[in-house]
Amino acid sequence: MRALVSAALMAAGLAYGADTLARPPQAPVAQPVRIEGPFELRSRIYPGTVRRYWVYVPAGYDPERPPNLLVFQDGQRAVNPNGSLRIPAVLDTLIRRGAIPPTLGVFVTPGHHAARYPDTLGMDNPDHRVAEYDAVSDDYARMTLDELLPAVARRWRFAADPRRRAIGGTSSGAIAAWTVAWRHPEAFGNVLSFIGSYTSIGLRLAPDGTPVSYGGDVYPGLIRKSPIRPLRIFLQDGRNDLDNEHGNWFLANQQMVAALAWANRHADDVRSGGPRYDVRHVWTDGGHSDADGGAVLPDALQWLWRDQPLQPRP
């Protein structure tokens, strides 16, 4: 599988695959990875729900030099030491190698209807995930920006510049991340999207068939008909991803890439000023799994932060 991913990275024009894939970022590091949490967050925007989050604090963290920020959805899987992503270990190794700038990682679960987050959930999905992640609305962004990040900021400082902030996820977590950045590019300038669910999961129909709410399959059209946001986006999907009543995941991700490319071409054709989408995509042979996303994660992070100084300014 690593050979397939390496080939995909070279086809995408990425310069980092040979090094990071040859030396897996999950290799032991000199010191233990510092992960704080889990903490619990009760939401006013989603009343009656509770979520957990963890914070990865980079070695040498200095509040006078606020680090970059990465927010990642489905935090219970992102921090799982036996999972496919193991994002804190990836961040730690890349930072210690000087491959990316110091980055604070925030890994948050979806909400669950309970007074306390159940210890028994493990890696399973909380019961409010679809309502939060697959909704094409501003609610999840408001929770992230008005509740989660202020809670984190009470203990740790991080960059305010959207170019130094990334938000990401896998599957429905990827579309949740995209929605936050799409609606608030002033807060996040970078998106990591693995096996993104740009499909009709969020579509709800009235008895007469009229749409009551829409799903993520509307995004390619919105991208084509909306002003370009100053976003840098890394997308990965597998050719054997899901195909069900909600849509075809691989086709949906290709539609996203096509829409972003068309928006850039159209802006060039009409000589429009302003930003352009900065996009890289990697198509693998995998299915609906975090495995291929985990394999390309080191390269994706380096690509996102490729023009950033390795030491934040005071």
Side-chain angles (χ1 to χ4, degrees):
M1 199 278 291
R2 287 193 179 278
L4 290 172
V5 173
S6 297
L9 288 166
M10 288 188 286
L14 295 173
Y16 313 104
D19 175 62
T20 55
L21 292 177
R23 296 186 294 163
Q26 293 85 4
V29 295
Q31 299 176 17
V33 177
R34 180 182 171 188
I35 304 175
E36 302 280 353
F39 306 101
E40 287 197 349
L41 178 70
R42 290 164 183 80
S43 174
R44 299 183 305 276
I45 294 165
Y46 297 115
T49 66
V50 61
R51 67 205 69 242
R52 277 182 175 172
Y53 68 93
W54 295 257
V55 178
Y56 161 76
V57 184
Y61 165 78
D62 181 357
E64 298 304 314
R65 296 174 181 268
N68 286 13
L69 175 69
L70 171 65
V71 176
F72 209 88
Q73 321 315 307
D74 290 311
Q76 74 279 22
R77 291 197 285 273
V79 301
N80 179 11
N82 300 313
S84 300
L85 295 170
R86 291 173 281 184
I87 301 178
V90 175
L91 288 172
D92 204 71
T93 300
L94 293 176
I95 293 167
R96 290 180 187 275
R97 289 181 184 169
I100 62 172
T103 299
L104 191 81
V106 177
F107 309 99
V108 59
T109 72
H112 192 80
H113 284 104
R116 295 289 306 274
Y117 191 93
D119 291 327
T120 55
L121 269 181
M123 298 301 114
D124 292 339
N125 290 329
D127 63 14
H128 208 239
R129 186 174 186 264
V130 170
E132 295 180 13
Y133 282 8
D134 293 291
V136 185
S137 75
D138 202 39
D139 290 349
Y140 191 74
R142 288 171 50 225
M143 188 283 298
T144 301
L145 299 177
D146 298 342
E147 297 181 336
L148 174 63
L149 291 189
V152 174
R154 285 194 284 270
R155 296 187 61 178
W156 296 281
R157 296 185 65 194
F158 45 82
D161 184 347
R163 293 171 297 182
R164 294 180 54 202
R165 289 176 165 196
I167 186 165
T170 71
S171 189
S172 290
I175 190 174
W178 165 261
T179 297
V180 174
W182 168 259
R183 287 180 168 271
H184 294 278
E186 79 286 354
F188 287 97
N190 303 276
V191 180
L192 276 174
S193 172
F194 299 149
I195 57 172
S197 299
Y198 304 102
T199 60
S200 68
I201 295 174
L203 177 65
R204 298 291 179 268
L205 301 178
D208 65 356
T210 302
V212 175
S213 63
Y214 290 90
D217 53 335
V218 303
Y219 270 125
L222 288 172
I223 290 167
R224 290 173 183 266
K225 295 187 177 182
S226 302
I228 293 177
R229 276 72 161 160
L231 296 176
R232 180 174 288 177
I233 310 111
F234 186 102
L235 299 101
Q236 174 273 326
D237 196 26
R239 297 176 182 86
N240 293 296
D241 206 340
L242 296 173
D243 185 11
N244 58 30
E245 71 274 20
H246 302 303
N248 182 296
W249 265 245
F250 187 44
L251 290 177
N253 277 268
Q254 292 178 82
Q255 285 275 31
M256 288 289 289
V257 170
L260 293 163
W262 181 89
N264 284 346
R265 289 198 308 273
H266 178 68
D268 291 343
D269 289 344
V270 301
R271 295 181 171 84
S272 171
R276 300 292 187 270
Y277 293 114
D278 189 2
V279 184
R280 287 290 185 274
H281 68 275
V282 171
W283 305 144
T284 65
D285 287 334
H288 201 71
S289 161
D290 293 344
D292 288 1
V296 303
L297 176 63
D299 305 272
L301 288 168
Q302 290 179 87
W303 181 76
L304 288 184
W305 302 142
R306 66 187 186 274
D307 51 6
Q308 304 252 334
L310 293 180
Q311 180 60 53
R313 293 184 177 86

